[in-house]
Amino acid sequence: MRGQHGDSGEQARSPSVHLRRRWKQPRVPSLPYAPRTRRPHRYSGPSCMLNRSLNLNIQAVHMRDLRKLDNMFSTSNEPSITVRQQAILVNCDPVRAVITRDCCLVFLPDGADSLVYHLKTNMQQHLAEATAFEFAAVEAILATICRLFSAECDRIVPKGRLALDKMTKDDSMLSELENLRSIKNEMSALESRVGGMRRLLMAFLENEEDLHMMYLTKLYHEPALVHDLFSFDTEDAESFLEVYLQEIYGTQTRVALMANNILNTESIVMLKLDSKRNFLLSVDLSLTLMGTVLALPTFIVGGFGMNLNSTVQETAYLFWIIFGLCIALIVVGFVYAQQYLKKQGINMSWKY
């Protein structure tokens, strides 16, 4: 890290941004205006420096705070912004950074090299407008995250709409089920990430202490403010955080609407499939009932077809009488069964 220490005569270097791809035990930022004294600690590793004479009530950076910036020690991808003594630790996957009053260390995972250009561009843009370097660094990271979410949303939403349009057509509906499932999984993952960022910004805006501790440069030049953090206004920090909160909310709304469209389309598709299944069941029930009604006349006809001699076949008009009774039995039995099932709420109509 780069800075100007109160006990040295070196000139302060200009604010800079460092982009690193792997975490290699970064040094813990210390108060530049205090003599370095080792603080007792219960963990191994780099120690935190603290000015005992000022009796500050702002927590120093701990190793557990630094572990949150490493994927190896991170238990979840829930985004977080941690404000410590002269340091702001940002954990917004895939961007992780340590921000001081004049330096910003950014750690990117493998395969995220495309974010370097956006981070540098946003940093240069906000550095000329921000009142303090730490605000410009936080704005640059939030702008990059919002741009990343917007790009993913622009990539997934058209694919989802195309899949939904195909799902509404019967000829290609079944072939798009797997594609829609993949898109739905991507939308769920994006919605979770965007929701986490929104919860982070809302919780941070409600934390007055963290908002005041974000003014690293102001606290550095006016150390007495540490004893009375609420003596100055935090309108600058709140204003740019609310801007990105609204942008995150807009992205979340787009994702939520697309997810609802997918759910509604799935419901419509399931209704269509249920209607087809009910139609097939109705046809099957009608044919089964017809076969059952034909069973009794078949038994009667089988009795007359046996090779046993009887005098019945010599009776005049008996054949036509038996044939008519069999036909009547079939028709009456089918109509009666259909009316009975209709009273029970079972529709046997073949209309689709």
Side-chain angles (χ1 to χ4, degrees), residues 3-231:
Q4 180 180 5
H5 297 279
D7 55 352
S8 63
E10 298 180 358
Q11 297 294 332
R13 300 181 182 179
S14 59
S16 59
V17 180
H18 303 273
L19 300 177
R20 298 182 180 177
R21 299 182 59 184
R22 294 186 180 275
W23 182 268
K24 295 184 179 180
Q25 294 184 352
R27 294 183 179 179
V28 181
S30 59
L31 282 175
Y33 52 81
R36 295 192 172 185
T37 56
R38 185 173 298 275
R39 178 186 178 186
H41 55 86
R42 293 179 295 176
Y43 55 85
S44 59
S47 59
C48 300
M49 303 303 174
L50 180 65
N51 186 1
R52 295 179 181 273
S53 61
L54 292 179
N55 192 20
L56 302 181
N57 56 359
I58 302 179
Q59 294 186 13
V61 179
H62 299 280
M63 288 302 299
R64 61 176 177 270
D65 300 326
L66 299 178
R67 293 190 187 99
K68 294 180 181 179
L69 304 181
D70 195 345
N71 285 328
M72 296 179 60
F73 299 98
S74 179
T75 58
S76 65
N77 290 328
E78 187 71 16
S80 63
I81 297 179
T82 306
V83 182
R84 291 293 183 257
Q85 189 179 132
Q86 285 295 304
I88 301 175
L89 290 82
V90 181
N91 177 21
C92 299
D93 191 55
V95 180
R96 293 172 172 83
V98 177
I99 303 172
T100 62
R101 63 180 180 84
D102 60 355
C103 181
C104 178
L105 300 177
V106 179
F107 307 93
L108 298 175
D110 295 335
D113 297 337
S114 60
L115 297 178
V116 176
Y117 172 76
H118 299 296
L119 285 170
K120 289 184 176 180
T121 303
N122 293 327
M123 190 65 186
Q124 294 174 359
Q125 178 182 357
H126 293 92
L127 192 59
E129 303 174 356
T131 58
F133 174 80
E134 58 270 18
F135 292 165
V138 175
E139 279 194 81
I141 294 175
L142 293 179
T144 304
I145 295 297
C146 292
R147 181 183 180 88
L148 179 63
F149 288 160
S150 180
E152 291 187 10
C153 188
D154 294 337
R155 178 182 61 86
I156 298 176
V157 169
K159 293 169 57 179
R161 290 177 180 172
L162 181 61
L164 293 180
D165 292 339
K166 292 183 178 180
M167 285 287 291
T168 56
K169 300 178 182 179
D170 295 339
D171 53 352
S172 61
M173 180 176 55
L174 296 179
S175 61
E176 292 295 327
L177 287 176
E178 183 63 24
N179 187 25
L180 184 62
R181 184 191 65 82
S182 176
I183 295 175
K184 185 177 179 181
N185 292 337
E186 293 182 5
M187 293 294 295
S188 299
L190 180 59
E191 185 177 13
S192 176
R193 294 173 58 190
V194 174
M197 280 297 301
R198 182 169 179 265
R199 291 191 299 270
L200 163 66
L201 294 179
M202 292 182 64
F204 199 84
L205 284 171
E206 294 176 357
N207 194 330
E208 293 291 337
E209 185 177 357
D210 285 348
L211 286 175
H212 285 81
M213 289 191 301
M214 280 187 65
Y215 288 76
L216 305 182
T217 304
K218 190 178 187 67
L219 295 177
Y220 173 78
H221 292 292
E222 301 179 25
L225 293 177
V226 176
H227 301 284
D228 189 9
L229 288 176
F230 300 98
S231 61

Side-chain angles (χ1 to χ4, degrees), residues 264-307:
N264 294 335
T265 304
E266 287 183 345
S267 300
I268 294 175
V269 170
M270 293 304 299
L271 290 176
K272 288 184 177 181
L273 294 177
D274 291 341
S275 179
K276 288 184 177 181
R277 182 168 57 250
N278 293 336
F279 173 74
L280 294 177
L281 291 175
S282 177
V283 173
D284 180 71
L285 180 60
S286 300
L287 296 177
T288 303
L289 179 60
M290 189 177 297
T292 303
V293 174
L294 286 173
L296 183 58
T298 302
F299 174 76
I300 298 175
V301 173
F304 281 94
M306 290 189 298
N307 295 326

